Amino acid sequence: MSDHLLSTRGFTRDRAVTLLDVAEDMADTQRRQVKKLPTLRGTTIVNLFFEDSTRTRISFEAAAQRLSADVITFSAKGSSVSKGESLQDTAQTLQAMGADGIVIRHPSSGAAHTLATSGWTRAGVVNAGDGTHEHPTQALLDAFTIRKRRHGDDSRGRDLAGLRVVIVGDILHSRVARSNIWLLTALGASVHLVAPPTLLPTHTEGWPVTTGIDLDAAIDDGPDAVMMLRVQRERMTEAFFPTAKEYASLYGLSVARADRLPGSSLVMHPGPMNRGLEIAGAVADSPRSTVLEQVQNGIGVRMAVLYDVMTGERAA
């Protein structure tokens, strides 16, 4: 059990497999007619979202509700935060209201760690995305999806040893890429990053990855999964590529490129997608695409994370 989930960095294989196995159990309950479990009855979980994110917020709400927790969703827009209230003030207010768990999404890298370690709240903290730092539950549901596609009902106890995953696109601004790098490699997969030079971080020496700028070469190497990342225009403060058309030509997963992948290769995207830019619509809707499975698997994974964090030991 863990008291917070802030990052996948430092995950061991055993911790990752155990959490994925709990997610399998949670996902199994969602195929029953009555999907609710009494596990977190009497606890209050606050979704504290300082950024817009419809799919992540709804996924966490569904996960908490299906564990019978009371759920409060807090949006920074139109709140006291928009009037200048600090994260400290907000956290202390939630503590006074009796929040047992806080799921936080914030534009500043490190915000989740600050909330968890500041002493402002005794609640368990789950990082739902902080700046360009990490998005651990997205990486967990991505790993869950790969494992499920590979091993089906025989997934429990298995890792991703020997699998090759290519992550393509806006690596520089991607918290999804960072969380996936640590988690997938902890599970035994190899990770190769592909992006224009302007969208590759300059300091990757300590990362357990290989990097490149040639998507076609990576495709022809026959990876087991290709994860396309959204071009995050909202985080870009300058021009990182000349035109959208040029980016799509060099780094978009077109139908022609997808057709060169091995038949068993998966195509992934954390969403929301820019169809026609980083991925062709026909590829996103193809049988090898896991886009909708990732969304579906997100509920079971987040149920497992909330269970793990809310039943962990924290200082009183």
Side-chain angles (χ1 to χ4, degrees):
M1 304 299 178
S2 307
D3 50 359
H4 306 292
L5 178 64
L6 308 176
S7 167
T8 58
R9 191 167 190 166
F11 262 49
T12 62
R13 175 200 177 276
D14 288 347
R15 185 186 177 194
V17 169
T18 297
L19 201 47
L20 293 178
D21 286 352
V22 174
E24 290 274 358
D25 296 336
M26 295 297 183
D28 285 347
T29 69
Q30 299 310 292
R31 288 190 279 272
R32 304 187 317 203
Q33 186 172 1
V34 178
K35 296 179 172 62
K36 266 201 168 187
L37 299 172
T39 315
L40 297 183
R41 183 178 294 153
T43 63
T44 299
I45 294 175
V46 178
N47 287 327
L48 184 59
F49 276 56
F50 293 85
E51 285 184 329
D52 293 332
S53 177
T54 304
R55 65 181 64 210
T56 302
R57 176 179 54 79
I58 290 175
S59 184
F60 269 111
E61 285 178 358
Q65 288 167 354
R66 290 177 190 180
L67 291 169
S68 300
D70 296 318
V71 183
I72 300 172
T73 295
F74 177 102
S75 174
K77 286 187 177 179
S79 72
S80 52
V81 171
S82 64
K83 301 171 187 173
E85 181 172 272
S86 67
L87 178 60
Q88 178 179 353
D89 292 331
T90 302
Q92 290 174 332
T93 299
L94 296 176
Q95 177 63 36
M97 292 179 177
D100 300 296
I102 299 175
V103 177
I104 181 171
R105 189 180 187 97
H106 201 282
S108 298
S109 298
H113 183 268
T114 298
L115 181 62
T117 59
S118 61
W120 300 333
T121 177
R122 293 190 297 273
V125 175
V126 176
N127 183 4
D130 60 331
T132 59
H133 177 228
E134 285 218 37
H135 192 353
T137 61
Q138 180 67 48
L140 284 163
L141 71 88
D142 290 340
F144 182 97
T145 302
I146 295 171
R147 193 175 79 153
K148 199 69 173 171
R149 273 279 190 123
R150 283 288 166 187
H151 302 298
D153 292 337
D154 194 31
S155 291
R156 283 178 179 80
R158 291 181 178 267
D159 57 22
L160 302 179
L163 295 186
R164 294 177 299 153
V165 180
V166 174
I167 303 178
V168 184
D170 187 359
I171 309 291
L172 182 65
H173 301 99
S174 178
R175 53 197 175 202
V176 172
R178 285 165 176 78
S179 286
N180 264 299
I181 287 166
W182 306 119
L183 183 65
L184 294 175
T185 53
L187 286 165
S190 62
V191 176
H192 181 62
L193 308 178
V194 176
T198 52
L199 289 175
L200 273 173
T202 52
H203 301 292
T204 58
E205 296 85 0
W207 292 11
V209 299
T210 55
T211 63
I213 61 172
D214 188 341
L215 176 57
D216 288 304
I219 292 287
D220 291 336
D221 199 35
D224 297 288
V226 178
M227 185 179 299
M228 306 304 296
L229 300 174
R230 181 173 66 88
V231 175
Q232 300 189 47
R233 298 181 187 275
E234 72 276 11
R235 301 190 196 279
M236 294 184 180
T237 56
E238 55 190 280
F240 286 86
F241 48 85
T243 65
K245 183 176 181 181
E246 180 172 313
Y247 182 90
S249 173
L250 292 174
Y251 294 99
L253 188 58
S254 62
V255 172
R257 284 190 172 116
D259 285 346
R260 300 208 317 266
L261 288 167
S264 61
S265 293
L266 309 180
V267 170
M268 312 183 75
H269 196 297
M273 294 180 286
N274 294 306
R275 288 175 180 254
L277 181 56
E278 65 251 12
I279 188 169
V283 177
D285 298 330
S286 68
R288 70 165 78 241
S289 169
T290 65
V291 172
L292 292 180
E293 288 165 59
Q294 289 167 264
V295 175
Q296 181 181 30
N297 292 336
I299 296 177
V301 165
R302 289 175 173 125
M303 288 173 71
V305 166
L306 290 174
Y307 169 77
D308 184 65
V309 169
M310 296 303 295
T311 56
E313 295 294 327
R314 281 179 295 282

